[in-house]
């Protein structure tokens, strides 16, 4: 049977290290690191994620400056707030929770964030640096995935790796990081023909489709490493990943559960990115 990659335990261990770093920063700089978190509208899933992020900041001793804006906020209003935060000395990172309401052009908002405060690494400048393999802010979920692989001794070098999903938040950056780590990467998405055949060949599978139970256990190559980024709430309120966990866990050598896999690591990476920006290590 496959071993479970316990993102919850791993993230709790990392939190001790983070708390120490935040204390040291606060002592050295006479103020704690600060993260501005902006949520536009009332998407229920985004509200939960943002609340968890803000709570994690507070528990770590990072100040979170919380901004809740109504759904009808205009692009100009949102970018004006971002520009104000760009200038504040006590704000080290700025996070605009995605997705934004449809009338707001996401790329314009992301481009209004000062790259040195871009805690998600979504600004084209930082994504470009990532593509070039230069030091940059690595988006939180992909950074968490790479951390888990390393912690469990999985070296992507030469491995056949399948990424399902091509979003700017997960699919594209994780495909880039795996390529930089010398994996052979196949990016699959809604137009991919014969997904099953692609998955069957994967030594490492990263699924970020957001479609519960889409990947069947029988598709998993025996001994493969399975990272499930999908998190969907069904009508009974239960959370499910993209991968049919119960059947996949017997074939995989390592597998992340949902919940308790990638999610907690994403939040910890947000804290680590905030500290890194506060120290001025990037851009
Ligand atoms: N929506 C889903 N994941 C993320 C993330 O990592 N950052 C932001 N800002 N929005 C998201």
């Amino acid at each position: 049977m496959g071993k479970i990659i316990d993102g919850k335990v791993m993230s709790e261990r990392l939190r001790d290290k983070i708390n120490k770093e935040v204390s040291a920063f606060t002592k050295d700089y006479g103020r704690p690191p600060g993260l501005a978190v902006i949520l536009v509208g009332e998407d229920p899933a985004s509200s939960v994620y943002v609340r968890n992020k803000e709570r994690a900041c507070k528990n770590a001793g990072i100040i979170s400056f919380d901004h809740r804006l109504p759904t009808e906020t205009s692009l100009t209003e949102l970018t004006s707030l971002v520009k104000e935060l760009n200038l504040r000395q006590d704000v080290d990172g700025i996070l605009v929770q995605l997705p934004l309401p449809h009338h707001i052009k996401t790329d314009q908002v992301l481009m209004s964030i000062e790259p040195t405060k871009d805690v998600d690494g979504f600004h084209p400048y930082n994504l470009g640096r990532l593509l070039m393999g230069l030091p940059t802010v690595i988006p939180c979920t992909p950074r968490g995935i790479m951390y888990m692989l390393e912690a469990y001794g999985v070296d992507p070098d030469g491995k056949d790796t399948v990424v399902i999903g091509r979003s700017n938040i997960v699919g594209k950056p994780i495909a880039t990081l795996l390529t930089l780590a010398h994996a052979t990467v196949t990016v699959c998405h809604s137009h991919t023909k014969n997904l099953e055949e692609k998955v069957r060949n994967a030594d490492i599978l990263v699924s970020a489709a957001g479609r519960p139970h889409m990947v069947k256990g029988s598709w998993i190559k025996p001994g493969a490493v399975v990272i499930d980024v999908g998190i969907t709430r069904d009508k009974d309120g239960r959370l499910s990943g993209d991968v049919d966990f119960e059947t996949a866990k017997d074939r995989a050598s390592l597998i992340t559960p949902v919940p308790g896999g990638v999610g907690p690591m994403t939040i910890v990476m947000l804290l680590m990115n905030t500290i890194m920006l506060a120290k001025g290590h990037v851009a």
Side-chain angles (χ1 to χ4, degrees):
M1 189 180 105
K3 241 168 82 180
I4 312 266
I5 299 183
D6 193 330
K8 196 157 180 287
V9 167
M10 203 184 289
S11 68
E12 276 156 15
R13 265 190 225 131
L14 273 169
R15 274 174 211 241
D16 289 339
K17 184 172 163 264
I18 288 168
N19 290 350
K20 287 197 187 92
E21 284 195 34
V22 171
S23 302
F25 178 93
T26 308
K27 202 160 142 248
D28 292 349
Y29 291 78
R31 66 165 182 90
L35 176 67
V37 180
I38 305 174
L39 174 64
V40 184
E42 276 153 26
D43 177 71
S46 290
S47 302
V48 173
Y49 296 147
V50 161
R51 220 179 304 131
N52 289 341
K53 289 173 184 182
E54 289 165 347
R55 189 181 329 124
C57 280
K58 281 164 195 143
N59 289 342
I62 293 172
I63 292 197
S64 80
F65 301 99
D66 308 340
H67 295 268
R68 296 284 187 281
L69 303 178
T71 309
E72 54 281 6
T73 302
S74 69
L75 172 65
T76 313
E77 284 167 326
L78 181 52
T79 53
S80 299
L81 171 61
V82 169
K83 284 173 192 163
E84 218 176 275
L85 296 165
N86 281 340
L87 298 173
R88 287 229 333 234
Q89 299 298 317
D90 52 350
V91 172
D92 300 294
I94 301 170
L95 181 150
V96 179
Q97 185 65 24
L98 304 180
L100 287 166
H102 292 299
H103 68 278
I104 300 179
K105 292 194 179 76
T106 302
D107 53 351
Q108 302 263 338
V109 177
L110 296 178
M111 280 191 267
S112 73
I113 300 173
E114 167 64 39
T116 55
K117 295 195 175 187
D118 173 29
V119 75
D120 272 315
F122 293 164
H123 190 288
Y125 175 81
N126 286 322
L127 282 174
R129 289 182 65 94
L130 180 67
L131 206 57
M132 293 174 78
L134 297 171
T136 186
V137 196
I138 298 170
C140 304
T141 301
R143 189 174 178 200
I145 293 169
M146 295 307 284
Y147 190 98
M148 288 196 283
L149 292 178
E150 192 177 350
Y152 278 81
V154 180
D155 183 358
D157 193 332
K159 301 270 182 2
D160 286 321
T161 301
V162 167
V163 174
I164 306 178
R166 51 176 160 173
S167 70
N168 292 335
I169 297 178
V170 182
K172 286 183 210 167
I174 192 64
T176 302
L177 288 166
L178 289 164
T179 306
L180 290 167
H182 312 296
T184 302
V185 182
T186 304
V187 179
C188 300
H189 44 76
S190 54
H191 291 221
T192 295
K193 284 182 288 184
N194 207 345
L195 178 66
E196 174 179 346
E197 183 191 299
K198 310 279 190 298
V199 171
R200 279 187 183 278
N201 189 46
D203 301 314
I204 301 174
L205 171 67
V206 178
S207 186
R211 299 198 27 207
H213 306 289
M214 182 186 69
V215 177
K216 308 297 170 214
S218 60
W219 299 5
I220 303 298
K221 182 174 177 176
V225 175
V226 177
I227 307 289
D228 193 347
V229 185
I231 182 157
T232 311
R233 196 174 289 277
D234 67 19
K235 48 187 186 318
D236 305 322
R238 261 194 312 264
L239 295 173
S240 302
D242 291 348
V243 179
D244 197 2
F245 181 82
E246 284 310 316
T247 50
K249 76 177 189 321
D250 295 329
R251 293 171 74 89
S253 61
L254 288 168
I255 185 166
T256 59
V258 177
V262 174
M265 290 303 291
T266 295
I267 295 198
V268 160
M269 294 302 147
L270 172 67
L271 305 177
M272 288 177 50
N273 278 356
T274 304
I275 297 167
M276 185 180 72
L277 294 181
K279 289 180 176 170
H281 277 177
V282 159

